[in-house]
Amino acid sequence: MKILGIVFLVFAGLNLIVAIVCATSEVDGSVVAQKFFAGLMLGVLGAFLVSRANKKKKEVEEKHKWEEKK
């Protein structure tokens, strides 16, 4: 999950760069908006996946510590 989240974050960054390049050139506004919102959604999804993977790893470590104390 973490690797997929990182991949989504990279694609989000690339989409935002493409949106900026399209905005500076003479491209239709709908294309710019599509690239911007695709980058935004990929960024949100990627950040969620990375944070969820980190949270799950932390929960597993806490469970192992709790089991060792028994």
Side-chain angles (χ1 to χ4, degrees), residues 14-66:
L14 292 175
N15 265 336
L16 291 177
I17 291 171
V18 170
I20 292 169
V21 170
C22 288
T24 57
S25 63
E26 295 181 13
V27 178
D28 188 28
S30 64
V31 173
V32 175
Q34 180 184 11
K35 294 294 180 188
F36 176 75
F37 287 116
L40 185 67
M41 298 313 284
L42 284 171
V44 168
L45 182 60
F48 171 74
L49 289 174
V50 169
S51 69
R52 180 66 186 130
N54 289 337
K55 184 177 177 183
K56 191 172 183 178
K57 183 179 178 181
K58 183 178 177 183
E59 288 174 357
V60 168
E61 288 174 357
E62 288 178 359
K63 184 179 177 183
H64 286 295
K65 286 180 184 179
W66 181 77

